[in-house]
Amino acid sequence: MKKTYRSPWAWIPSLYLAEGLPYVVVMTVSVIMYKRMDISNTDIALYTSWLYLPWVIKFLWSPVVDLLKTKRIWIITMQLFIGAGLGCIAIVLPLPGFFKLSLGFFWLLAFSSATQDIAIDGFYMLGLDQHQQAWFVGIRSIFYRIAMLTGQGLLIIFVGNLETTTGLNAVEIDVLSVKEENTFQWIDPDSVKFNKNHDNISILVYPDTLKIAIANRTSKEKELLVNMVKIWNKRHGFIKDNGSEKLPVNEISEIKKASQSCISSWLDQNFGHKQQAPPSDKTGNFGIIYFKLSQQPKPAEDIDFHFGWSGGDKSINFLTESWANRGKIRFNHKNWDKPALAVIQLDSKLEMETIAAFSGRSGNIPLAWSITFSLLAILFIIFFLYHLKILPYPESDKPNMVANTGIFIKEFWKTFKSFFVKANIIPAIFFLLLYRLAESQLVKLASPFLLDSREVGGLALTTGQVGFVYGTVGLTGLVIGGILGGFAAARHGLRLWLWPMALAINLPNVVYIYLSAVLPDSFFVINLCVAIEQFGYGFGFTAYMLYMIYISQGEHKTSHFAITTAFMALGMMLPGMFSGWLQEIIGYYNFFIWVMISTIPSFLILFFLKIDKGFGRKIS
């Protein structure tokens, strides 16, 4: 017998976990994953921003969910599709063409998730009476937040641990600046003697401690050495000319390509992050570290080795241009018996003896992410089976009569049109598109900034550390900010708090200018800065959500709210698409300054909004 009623506790928590997880996987986890798989920031921002599109246009096919079948069937069917999409991503990640293939399955995931959102929100209203809807609104919000925490935090920490445990032991190298004879000795890489004292396959390093004399060399000497090292590393397959897999863009016209090239050249010339040679044409002394595998890996096994500065004096620096791939090289069964070379340089102004620590870690990153997505796929199969059994069969959960399809579609377009004839609608639309203009660009590059090596302007955090920063500390700040924002608006109304909330969502972005300028070593300072930014975002986003409710008031409020969410997604999608391209031209520091400049339109549009004085305020 089909039960028309079950305790909401039996299905609401799991339903909103299942709603939140695929969204955070598509929007956030995909960015971190592609960064760890060495896709460029330009491609990450552009192609993952397109994944917003299903949420932008989901209101267009929401009538289909009403017309065909029941909300219950749509929910369990979409969860099956989501599980299949996650499983397919897990399968393709180790393949050579993983970027294009995984993006295709992320599209399946995004459309399935957006459709599931429509069905779940409808089922919530059908499966509960009005009192229960009001009582469980907080419960559904809590479990949706738990899904965010799981995706942004626990999941990333888990995959970070997998990246470590699936690889070889990390190596640590100390580099010392010493006051001794100004000599640099080039050692033929084939003649380097490594200490082979490992029974299992491991990364060998020579020397264990590198000493570099405090002295100056000419820029010409530096250029010659870096080119020699780069040629050696390329010749033996440690690095490639391209840093990421590019998608074909045949549809871009020659005129568009030329215009993009002109824009890129102008930005690079005026704002690009360039290394300028000292006026005396002198540069600090340098040394070389050699890495090699102790044993031959399997023919199909590639070992990615990441190397970079990990602590100590920042006057001692690793020259990433000698590796040409963001501090990463690749060992395989063909080059395992040849050493890879890394150039270390002292700052030309360094005059005292000091020390810096460098670390190298390897891991089977595709395998780690493949395992993670496999577990997510299994989780959604469990959701599918559980909800197939446990979801109730509300009597009101029925499809609309097919005979009324024409009338329904006519009413839908009438509802759609009525939104755009509302009073003050033009400023409202610009507010929906511009209020998060800065945040829409920042969110695409925040995680890559934390993950990138210090040599290219990042903070060089591990995947697990990023999971902790955003998934625990950052999310805690976001939730606290959201709670306080709701409390403030309920006390005094939206109109009074509109400007303070606009300041809160925008001004804390300045912490990223500080982080990119100082590159602090302290994990506490990094967490504190992210917590401040996320708290401000949570507090300021309250105004955005309340205004969406405000503009949706009146007849057809449900449909009109869906339209406002479409504008919200569009406002996140379009700026995010070019943010990675811009950052790679001007660097992280200048990019974060641009983010702050991008806050200006969100303030200007506030002057044109008209909000009732009492809206949002609790009536006593």
Side-chain angles (χ1 to χ4, degrees):
M1 179 180 176
K2 296 181 178 180
K3 292 189 177 182
T4 60
Y5 176 82
R6 288 186 188 273
S7 170
W9 286 105
W11 52 273
I12 285 181
S14 60
L15 208 56
Y16 281 90
L17 281 174
E19 181 177 353
L21 273 174
Y23 179 83
V24 74
V25 166
V26 172
M27 293 294 100
T28 302
V29 175
S30 64
V31 172
I32 298 174
M33 183 195 75
Y34 284 135
K35 186 63 183 178
R36 296 296 291 130
M37 302 280 277
D38 288 309
I39 302 300
S40 70
N41 288 352
T42 298
D43 288 346
I44 291 173
L46 175 61
Y47 294 110
T48 60
S49 291
W50 273 110
L51 296 176
Y52 278 111
L53 186 60
W55 283 276
V56 173
I57 62 175
K58 71 178 183 179
F59 68 93
L60 293 177
W61 72 85
S62 59
V64 177
V65 180
D66 275 329
L67 286 168
L68 301 177
K69 302 300 181 182
T70 65
K71 306 295 188 299
R72 188 183 193 277
I73 291 177
W74 277 104
I75 290 170
I76 59 178
T77 302
M78 289 305 105
Q79 288 178 356
L80 186 61
F81 282 0
I82 291 170
L86 290 166
C88 290
I89 292 171
I91 292 171
V92 303
L93 286 180
L95 302 180
F98 76 91
F99 189 32
K100 289 176 281 188
L101 293 171
S102 61
L103 274 175
F105 290 118
F106 269 119
W107 271 98
L108 170 65
L109 204 60
F111 274 102
S112 300
S113 178
T115 306
Q116 180 191 230
D117 291 353
I118 298 170
I120 288 177
D121 290 339
F123 191 83
Y124 179 83
M125 291 184 285
L126 297 175
L128 303 176
D129 59 36
Q130 289 187 359
H131 172 72
Q132 289 175 321
Q133 289 178 34
W135 203 93
F136 276 94
V137 69
I139 303 301
R140 61 181 267 187
S141 178
I142 288 173
F143 280 91
Y144 192 87
R145 290 293 185 186
I146 290 175
M148 296 294 106
L149 172 62
T150 302
Q152 292 179 285
L154 300 179
L155 187 68
I156 303 303
I157 293 172
F158 173 75
V159 74
N161 290 331
L162 279 181
E163 287 181 358
T164 304
T165 56
T166 57
L168 307 180
N169 291 333
V171 296
E172 302 288 340
I173 306 103
D174 288 334
V175 179
L176 285 69
S177 62
V178 295
K179 292 182 178 180
E180 58 183 41
E181 186 180 353
N182 178 16
T183 59
F184 170 74
Q185 182 181 4
W186 168 263
I187 302 176
D188 182 3
D190 285 323
S191 65
V192 173
K193 302 297 182 183
F194 292 89
N195 294 323
K196 297 184 178 181
N197 56 354
H198 299 81
D199 295 330
N200 299 322
I201 185 170
S202 60
I203 301 288
L204 304 177
V205 59
Y206 176 87
D208 296 328
T209 301
L210 176 64
K211 296 181 179 180
I212 304 177
I214 299 174
N216 279 324
R217 297 287 177 181
T218 66
S219 297
K220 190 71 175 178
E221 288 178 299
K222 173 186 173 182
E223 181 181 358
L224 179 63
L225 176 63
V226 169
N227 286 336
M228 288 174 59
V229 170
K230 189 185 297 184
I231 290 171
W232 171 275
N233 287 335
K234 284 185 178 180
R235 180 183 300 163
H236 295 93
F238 296 117
I239 61 175
K240 296 181 180 180
D241 291 328
N242 56 326
S244 68
E245 182 186 358
K246 297 283 187 179
L247 287 181
V249 286
N250 298 330
E251 67 278 10
I252 299 180
S253 67
E254 293 300 321
I255 295 177
K256 188 175 180 181
K257 289 180 182 178
S259 66
Q260 288 179 341
S261 177
C262 291
I263 295 171
S264 300
S265 299
W266 183 84
L267 287 170
D268 185 56
Q269 182 178 356
N270 291 277
F271 302 101
H273 49 299
K274 300 177 177 64
Q275 296 287 343
Q276 297 182 352
S280 62
D281 195 37
K282 293 291 184 180
T283 186
N285 203 6
F286 28 70
I288 296 180
I289 301 176
Y290 304 80
F291 303 95
K292 189 171 78 71
L293 286 186
S294 61
Q295 297 178 20
Q296 184 176 24
K298 298 176 182 178
E301 182 181 4
D302 291 335
I303 298 175
D304 290 335
F305 181 66
H306 295 259
F307 179 73
W309 183 93
S310 60
D313 196 324
K314 294 181 182 179
S315 300
I316 305 176
N317 191 27
F318 164 49
L319 298 181
T320 52
E321 56 260 43
S322 62
W323 283 20
N325 198 15
R326 304 184 188 92
K328 188 196 82 169
I329 57 172
R330 176 166 292 176
F331 292 102
N332 54 43
H333 71 288
K334 294 180 180 179
N335 63 13
W336 71 276
D337 58 341
K338 296 290 184 181
L341 280 57
V343 180
I344 308 295
Q345 181 187 17
L346 304 184
D347 191 294
S348 60
K349 302 181 184 67
L350 184 63
E351 297 179 351
M352 58 183 291
E353 293 188 344
T354 185
I355 185 172
F358 291 80
S359 64
R361 64 184 188 276
S362 63
N364 194 328
I365 293 174
L367 176 61
W369 285 96
S370 183
I371 292 173
T372 302
F373 274 88
S374 297
L375 294 176
L376 284 172
I378 293 172
L379 176 61
F380 267 86
I381 298 303
I382 294 173
F383 278 140
F384 162 75
L385 296 173
Y386 178 76
H387 291 138
L388 181 64
K389 177 69 176 177
I390 210 70
L391 285 183
Y393 292 83
E395 294 182 358
S396 56
D397 186 18
K398 298 177 181 179
N400 287 284
M401 297 298 294
V402 177
N404 293 331
T405 300
I407 298 175
F408 185 90
I409 294 177
K410 182 179 179 180
E411 288 298 314
F412 169 76
W413 287 114
K414 181 181 177 182
T415 301
F416 185 76
K417 179 182 177 181
S418 66
F419 176 81
F420 292 94
V421 297
K422 284 177 176 284
N424 206 39
I425 191 62
I426 300 301
I429 291 174
F430 275 102
F431 174 81
L432 295 174
L433 292 174
L434 297 177
Y435 186 71
R436 301 171 72 192
L437 178 61
E439 184 68 25
S440 64
Q441 299 172 76
L442 178 67
V443 71
K444 285 297 177 186
L445 276 301
S447 292
F449 167 65
L450 297 182
L451 289 166
D452 252 333
S453 66
R454 291 177 175 271
E455 289 76 17
V456 296
L459 293 180
L461 300 187
T462 65
T463 306
Q465 286 175 320
V466 172
F468 181 82
V469 170
Y470 272 108
T472 54
V473 176
L475 189 60
T476 301
L478 181 71
V479 171
I480 294 174
I483 292 172
L484 292 180
F487 177 77
R491 286 287 302 272
H492 303 290
L494 173 60
R495 195 167 81 172
L496 179 66
W497 281 99
L498 183 60
W499 273 93
M501 288 180 175
L503 291 169
I505 200 172
N506 287 304
L507 294 189
N509 293 340
V510 75
V511 300
Y512 282 93
I513 297 179
Y514 165 77
L515 290 173
S516 59
V518 178
L519 298 181
D521 305 330
S522 171
F523 191 52
F524 171 79
V525 171
I526 295 171
N527 276 280
L528 179 62
C529 288
V530 172
I532 292 172
E533 184 267 330
Q534 288 290 289
F535 172 84
Y537 177 71
F539 188 80
F541 187 67
T542 304
Y544 193 83
M545 290 299 297
L546 284 174
Y547 190 77
M548 289 169 64
I549 295 172
Y550 176 76
I551 200 64
S552 303
Q553 289 182 115
E555 191 179 5
H556 312 300
K557 64 175 64 178
T558 301
S559 299
H560 288 179
F561 188 81
I563 295 173
T564 64
T565 63
F567 278 112
M568 176 178 68
L570 186 64
M572 293 294 290
M573 182 182 82
L574 296 179
M577 291 172 66
F578 70 82
S579 58
W581 165 78
L582 180 63
Q583 181 278 319
E584 290 199 329
I585 294 174
I586 65 177
Y588 281 115
Y589 177 72
N590 286 332
F591 174 76
F592 293 132
I593 292 177
W594 163 253
V595 167
M596 292 305 300
I597 295 173
S598 299
T599 65
I600 296 174
S602 65
F603 293 121
L604 294 178
I605 194 62
L606 299 184
F607 290 104
F608 300 93
L609 296 185
K610 296 179 180 179
I611 303 173
D612 294 341
K613 185 176 181 180
F615 178 76
R617 186 172 58 190
K618 183 178 179 181
I619 305 299
S620 56

